[in-house]
Structures are given as C-alpha cells and as structure tokens.
C-alpha cells in the first residue's frame, strides 16, 4: 500500500460539511467552473496533473451493492482527489504558498477547516482527513505530467517535421532543423527516475529490493 | 509584523557574511564532547568570545574585531551536553538524522557518497562546529589558540576531532578556508573562476543597509521588493506562513537561533576546464560567455546575463562601466549616480523579460537557486509573484578552501565550504538541493541537473540546455555529457543557538517544563 507510484502521488481527502452549507459549496464550485480565472493559480502549479472536488450529499453516499444497508449520515462530504508529482509537503506547501485564497474558497464551508495559512494547521487538517490509497497505478512511472506534455508536443512536432522536410536541400534542412530545435527547446529535458520523496519511501523501496532478492535466492535453492 | 531584532542575542554569522566585511580568512574545526559537565563549562568560558550580530560600520575595519568566533551543534552534540529529552524531541527530523542518512535526498552518491567523505565525518557524528574568521591569517591563528587553550583546560571534556583532508592528502585537525587572492588581494572568486557571493536574501531586522533590499527581498503583488519575514531565517519570529517556525522547547532555547548546513564541496577544476575548453570550440561565443551560460553570471565581474546576454552586450556593458567610473573618479556626481544605478542591476533583476531563457538559461545555476518569481508562469496566478520562492531562500555563508598549491587538478584540494542558514533545513536547503539543483520538473526540464553542482555522471543525458531566442536564427546549445564537477567531501546539519541559549546550555538550565 502506498500513495506513491513512480513520480506521482495520489491524494484523497474527505471532509464533512453541513448539508445546508453544501449548497453554498456547490455554488462556489459552479462559480469556479464559469470563471476559470479562479483556477489560474491551480493550473499554473505545474506539479499538479489533476484535481477534482466532489460533493456527496448525506443521502447519496455510495454503497457497494443494494444489500448494503443505508447509513444515516449527519453530514454531507466533500471528496478531494488529486494526482501530482512530488512529495506531500511540496504539494501542500505549493498550495498554501501560492494560492491560499483559492484554497480557502474551495474548502470555505468544510467543518473545522483552519484556512491554508498558517501552514501547520492546514497540514494537520489534510493529514487528519486524508484517506490512503489501497491501490495506485502509474503507466509511466518515469514521467511527470510535464514530461508527458513535453513528449507529446515533441512527438507531434517531430512527426510533422519529418513529413515536411524530405525534399529540402542540405542548407534548407539545416535552417529547418535549427527552427525545430528552438521551437522545442522547452520540451527536451532528460527522462529518469524521480527524486527520493522521503527517507521512509527510500526505506520501502529498499525493503522491496531485499524481499525480491530473498525470494530469488529461495527460488534458486528450491530449483 | 516582526519586532526589531535583538542583534546582541543573535550569533554574528547569521546576519553577516564575514567575507563581505573584510574577513577573508577562516578556520572551521569540530568538537567532540566526552563529559557533559566539563563540556558545559567549556561553553561558558567560550561565551565571551562569541561574536554577535551587532551592527558594524560597513566600510573599513575600524570598529570591528580582528577575528570572530561562532559555535553550532549537531543533534548528537546537544545530546552529549545533556539537554533534556523533551527539548531534544522538539527538533525537526532532518536535523536529528543529520546529513549522512539524507544522502538519497541530497544526491550524495557515487564519488560524493558518505563513505568517501573526509575521516572527520566517519564513525560517530561530530558534536559541534566552531568557526573563526579573521581579517588576516595571524588573527585567525591567535583566536584559534585561545579556543584551543580553553579546550586544553576542559579536563578531557572536549577535544578537537581531526581528519580533514589537507593539500597533500595529509590529515589536518581543522579546515582552513580563504578567499581566493589575486595580486595579493582577496577577491570574491571561487576556484572555477566565477565571481561568487552576490545574491543573498534580505530579511526584516537583519541590520543590513536597506539599499541592499532590491533584488534580495521578496516581490509583492505590486511588484515591489520587500524584506522576507525574519522567521524564514531566525527561529522564534514569524515566518512567511504567518506562524512561528517549528522549534524545540523551551522558547528561549530556540528563539534567535537557527539551523546551518555545512558542506565541504570539492571542485574538480581540471575536469571543469577541460569540459569548458572542449565545449567552447563548438560554442558560438567566448569561453567566458559559455561559463556565464552555466552559472547565470559572467565570471569576471559577476554581471548577470539578464543585463548582458552575449559577448557584444558584455563588451558594451564593460565600456559603459569604464566610462562612468572614469568620470566618477573625476568627481562627476551625475556619472557616480549612474554608475551606482548600473551596479544595482547586478542584483536587482527578475527573469520576467526572459521567460524563454534566451538571456539567462532556465537551468542556469542562479536561476535554479533563486527563481526570482519565474515560477509564476502566468501573470497574477499566485498570491504574489515570488510566492513559490519566498520559503526556499538560502542565506549563504561559505568561503572557498584550498587551491594555494600550484596548478589545480581534480586531485588537488580545492572547493567551497558551503554553509547556508535557514529556519527549516528540509523546506529550504534540502528542497533547493533536491528539486531545483538535481531535478527540473518545476522548470519543465525533466531530469536535467545543475551543470555546476548537479550529481551528473558524464552521460549523454547529463545535460544543460542553453536556450536560444525563439525569434532568432540560432539553435539552442546543448552541454551534454556533463561530468561530476563538484563532489561532496563531508558535512552535517547544525543548530546555531542564541547567546541566551548558549548561556542556558552552559549552565545546564535548559528546562522545557
Ligand atoms: C562548489 C559549489 C558551488 C559553486 C561553484 C557555486 C557557484 C555559484 C556562483 C558563481 C553564483 C553566482 C554568484 C552569486 O549570485 O552570488 C552562485 C549563486 C548562488 N548559489 Fe551557488 N555554487 C555552489 C554551490 C551551491 C549550492 C550547493 C547551493 C544550494 C543548494 C547554491 C545556491 C546558490 C544560491 C542560492 C545563489 C544565489 C542566487 C541568487 O540569489 O540569484 N550554490 N553560486
């Protein structure tokens, strides 16, 4: 079990709100939806690939199947799901440093939400309400969202370049090649493993290596 | 809002880079405590020698001591002094762990791995760091002898831990450091040939000349420079998140103290020269310009690339400086003013007009180290333009070492004793080292690393991109196969207590109850 897969971290936070203020919260979301300028800060934080807020009203909390008895809930809940590149601290810090007002707007009606500044109260609030991932999969463990975006645009431009430059003279090709390089100079970072997220995470990776070695040795012995 | 600081309670190295104040020589040595009682007594005797942050005249040496003395402790050191467990528990985790177990985060692998560090760092952790800076070497030595005799009087309670690799591979009991001298005069150079020691944060209450604010503070919403909150650099004061930095109890133990990173960074000068010479052959520009494209500043006088992005602009800038200087020397007040305004631009700049990095490459050392609002890629996206930088600033307090013995090779001893201070080792130094020096996601440059200090290994993908002007006809330039130019040779994390805290520690009366 881990919230980390490759360069990505998966975060789920579930927080209660009073059912009548959930309405206000919904209005706040619809404002954000219609005035995307409210989301400018969030989008500029390039470590985030995805963030989603969902309000689950107190009588529509999901059940696995119909036979599961309905719960009587006192609160509605807000589910926040996010995927980002980097460590927990880095993510929460970026939120709190860069877009505290935006955050406060999104959590405004949540019970005991402390506001995103001062930082440590906000840390505790998120940690307390975070639901850990049971399973988290990443198809491109060596890539961050920025890497994927860069690779996609590079691939597209290179394919196009290839199609358009077949018949060029050497001189013209050289000019076109330079242009291609300049116009893609921000999509040419190297790819590799992400930085160590924490010493605990490194320990887990280490243990996995050891487990793997032990099981290989055992297999060899058995064979 | 922060109150005025009690500069007499704060150790001097927190508020001053001594080098800039006419102290080009230093000696760092490390202590081990063998008996908490005698060690505490030693600290009590050392206390009158400790240099505080009291304000000195900026110019000239009058009114300044000939040498300075400061002290800081590792977590093991605080333990050996017998601090109560509850106080010890309040220190942050990375400080408790120390630098070695953080190797995976700091990129200390291969030749920088802790097993290759100088012997002083092997085995149990050192307990304390003492630094003596001096206006001349003899003053350093005088002060060192004074401290040494206090150690000798400690009944074996304190000893100096030897094991610093010296010039001939011999082991020394201390680490000497010195500004690089040219024609008998100290310069702000380091051993690769760059001019260093220009950029440093300006914080509220630091006691520095307010003229130094522009380019060193933080950027407000209105685009003005303002001092950073004191709590970014000194414990017990409000920080940029409007709270008190996490700190051990009691309050008086932490207040007016801070944390320090000490790292001996060896410079492979021969590899550097070979690499630059080789690359310069293919580079459309001078060797100096290529060097500038790695660091972000011209080696000879530290002019930032934002001010002069290529050889032609640099020649123009130098000529203008020369003219203004000559006129100013002739008593032309107007020229003197213009000269001052021009010199202010050495530090007062952002990358606002250079989003593509065509002037200062996006991955240049100083642009990584202090992003100067460039992470706000969409205007007015954040609460303030430098919101993502303000809590990642580093107070640098280092000096070069070695290099006095003939031509430098990779094997000869030279480098930088890198020291940086801040209220959170993890949020400030470790973050910058890991995310901005050894990784580039925030700059959208994948896994590229800093050319100068990154943990590069000479592979094709160990590279630095010198971006070109998107409107021009030049291609970007690729510095590939970057070798490991800088290697870590040792270091640890230290706590620099206030004078009050030192006094309490000496008396053994630190009480969190
Ligand atoms: C041997 C190793 C190093 C060398 C040769 C080196 C070289 C330089 C040079 C030439 C400058 C420009 C001068 C100036 O702005 O003061 C600079 C600035 C700087 N360096 Fe380094 N550096 C080294 C290690 C580091 C490390 C390990 C860090 C932090 C993790 C760091 C952080 C900074 C910062 C924060 C600045 C100031 C940037 C600004 O405010 O614009 N340096 N360095």
């Amino acid at each position: 079990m881990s919230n980390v897969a490759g360069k990505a971290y998966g975060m789920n936070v579930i927080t209660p709100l009073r059912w009548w203020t959930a309405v206000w919260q919904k209005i706040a979301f619809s404002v954000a939806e219609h005035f995307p300028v409210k989301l400018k800060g969030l989008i500029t934080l390039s470590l985030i690939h995805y963030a989603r807020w969902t309000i689950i009203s107190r009588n529509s909390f999901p059940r696995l199947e119909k036979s599961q008895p309905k719960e009587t809930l006192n609160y509605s809940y807000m589910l926040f799901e996010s995927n980002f590149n980097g460590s927990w601290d880095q993510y929460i810090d970026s939120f709190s440093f860069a877009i505290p007002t935006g955050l406060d707007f999104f959590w405004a009606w949540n019970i005991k939400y402390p506001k995103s500044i001062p930082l440590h109260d906000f840390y505790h609030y998120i940690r307390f309400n975070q639901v850990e991932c049971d399973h988290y999969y990443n198809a491109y463990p060596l890539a961050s969202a920025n890497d994927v975006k860069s690779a996609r645009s590079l691939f597209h431009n290179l394919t196009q370049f290839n199609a358009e430059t077949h018949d060029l003279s050497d001189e013209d090709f050289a000019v076109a090649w330079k242009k291609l390089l300049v116009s893609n100079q921000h999509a040419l970072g190297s790819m590799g493993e992400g930085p160590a997220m924490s010493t605990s995470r490194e320990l887990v990776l280490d243990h996995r290596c050891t487990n793997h070695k032990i099981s290989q040795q055992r297999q060899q012995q058995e064979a | 809002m922060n109150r005025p600081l009690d500069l007499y309670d704060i150790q001097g190295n927190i508020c001053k880079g001594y080098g800039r104040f006419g102290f080009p020589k230093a000696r760092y040595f490390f202590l081990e405590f063998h008996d908490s009682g005698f060690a505490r007594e030693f600290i009590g005797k050392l206390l009158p020698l400790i240099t505080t942050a009291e304000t000195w005249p900026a110019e000239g040496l009058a009114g300044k001591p000939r040498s300075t003395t400061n002290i800081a402790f590792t977590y093991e050191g605080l333990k050996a002094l017998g601090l109560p467990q509850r106080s010890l528990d309040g220190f942050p985790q990375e400080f408790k762990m120390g630098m070695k177990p953080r190797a995976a985060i700091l990129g200390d692998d291969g030749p920088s791995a802790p097993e290759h560090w100088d012997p002083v760092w092997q085995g149990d952790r050192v307990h304390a760091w003492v630094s003596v800076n001096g206006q001349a070497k003899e003053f350093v030595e005088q002060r060192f002898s004074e401290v040494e005799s206090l150690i000798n009087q400690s009944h074996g309670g304190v000893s100096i831990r030897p094991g610093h690799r010296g010039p001939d591979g011999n082991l020394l009991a201390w680490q000497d450091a010195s500004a690089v001298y040219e024609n008998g005069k100290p310069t702000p150079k380091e051993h690769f040939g760059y001019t260093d020691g220009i950029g440093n944060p300006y914080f509220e209450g630091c006691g520095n000349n307010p003229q130094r604010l522009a380019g060193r503070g933080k950027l407000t919403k209105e685009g003005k420079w303002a001092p950073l909150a004191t709590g970014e650099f000194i414990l017990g004061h409000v920080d940029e998140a409007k709270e008190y930095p996490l700190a051990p109890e009691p309050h008086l133990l932490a207040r007016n103290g801070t944390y320090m990173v000490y790292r001996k960074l060896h410079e492979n000068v021969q590899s550097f020269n070979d690499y630059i010479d080789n690359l310069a052959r293919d580079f459309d520009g001078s060797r100096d310009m290529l060097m500038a494209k790695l660091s972000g500043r011209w080696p000879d006088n530290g002019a930032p690339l934002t001010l002069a992005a290529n050889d032609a602009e640099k020649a123009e800038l130098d000529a203008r400086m020369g003219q203004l200087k000559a006129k100013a020397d002739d008593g032309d007040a107007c020229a003197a003013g213009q000269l001052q305004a021009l010199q202010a631009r050495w530090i007062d700049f952002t990358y606002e007009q250079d989003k593509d990095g065509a002037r200062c490459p996006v991955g240049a050392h100083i642009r990584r180290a202090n992003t100067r609002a460039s992470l706000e890629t969409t205007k007015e996206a954040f609460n303030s333009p430098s919101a993502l930088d303000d809590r990642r600033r580093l107070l640098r307090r280092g000096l070069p070492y070695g290099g006095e013995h003939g031509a430098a090779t990779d094997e000869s001893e030279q480098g930088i004793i890198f020291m940086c201070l801040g209220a959170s080792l993890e949020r400030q130094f470790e973050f910058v080292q890991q995310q901005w020096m050894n990784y580039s996601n925030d700059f959208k440059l994948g896994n590229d690393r800093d050319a100068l200090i990154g943990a590069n290994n000479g592979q094709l993908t160990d590279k630095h991109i010198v971006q070109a002007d998107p409107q021009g006809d030049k291609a970007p330039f690729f510095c590939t196969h970057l070798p490991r130019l800088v290697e870590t040779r040792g270091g640890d994390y230290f706590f620099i207590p206030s004078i009050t805290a030192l006094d309490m520690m000496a008396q053994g009366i630190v009480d969190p109850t």
Side-chain angles (χ1 to χ4, degrees), chain B residues 35-90:
Chain B
D35 175 283
S36 68
F38 288 130
R40 287 195 285 100
E41 189 183 57
F42 160 78
I43 290 166
K45 286 186 181 159
L46 185 70
L47 196 51
L49 298 184
I50 299 295
T51 310
T52 70
E54 68 182 276
T55 315
W56 291 341
E59 304 289 331
L61 295 173
K64 292 175 195 169
R66 287 170 163 179
S67 58
T68 64
T69 309
N70 293 102
I71 187 164
F73 304 86
T74 61
Y75 178 72
E76 295 302 325
L78 297 174
K79 231 159 114 178
L81 285 176
L83 242 66
Q85 191 61 44
R86 178 154 152 210
S87 296
L88 290 169
D89 286 347

Side-chain angles (χ1 to χ4, degrees), chain A residues 77-141:
Chain A
Y77 286 87
M78 185 165 97
L79 172 66
F80 171 63
E81 302 159 83
S82 178
N83 288 248
F84 55 87
N85 298 122
S87 69
W88 190 96
D89 293 40
Q90 189 183 348
Y91 178 71
I92 300 294
D93 285 356
S94 308
F95 261 123
S96 164
F97 304 166
I99 49 170
T101 4
L103 276 198
D104 293 349
F105 179 74
F106 274 127
W107 263 279
W109 285 277
N110 283 258
I111 286 173
K112 294 207 175 160
Y113 175 68
K115 294 214 163 177
S116 53
I117 294 177
L119 181 62
H120 282 88
D121 293 341
F122 182 55
Y123 265 24
H124 295 145
Y125 178 79
I126 297 291
R127 266 282 177 226
F128 186 79
N129 292 298
Q130 188 175 344
V131 183
E132 261 116 38
C133 299
D134 283 335
H135 181 70
Y136 189 44
Y137 172 74
N138 184 341
Y140 303 101

Side-chain angles (χ1 to χ4, degrees), chain B residues 312-332:
Chain B
E313 289 184 16
K314 176 66 168 27
E316 210 175 291
L317 175 68
D318 288 348
R320 211 160 105 228
M321 288 281 289
Q323 283 162 3
L324 290 175
K325 245 186 207 138
K327 280 193 193 161
D329 287 348
D330 278 350
D332 182 339

Side-chain angles (χ1 to χ4, degrees), chain B residues 48 94 124 235 247 322 337 421 470 498 509:
Chain B
E94 71 280 6
D124 295 338
L235 301 176
L421 277 50
S498 68
I509 57 166

Side-chain angles (χ1 to χ4, degrees), chain B residues 12 33 180 221 229 232 236 284 396:
Chain B
F33 302 139
V180 173
K221 236 186 187 130
E232 290 300 308
D284 185 12
R396 289 180 304 146

Side-chain angles (χ1 to χ4, degrees), chain B residues 16 19 23 120 137 148 181 193 268-269 391 410 463 493 510:
Chain B
K16 295 188 188 80
F23 294 74
V120 61
K137 186 147 191 196
E148 204 179 23
Y181 279 65
N268 285 322
V269 171
R391 312 213 65 206
D410 286 358
K463 73 176 193 304
Y493 293 151
V510 173

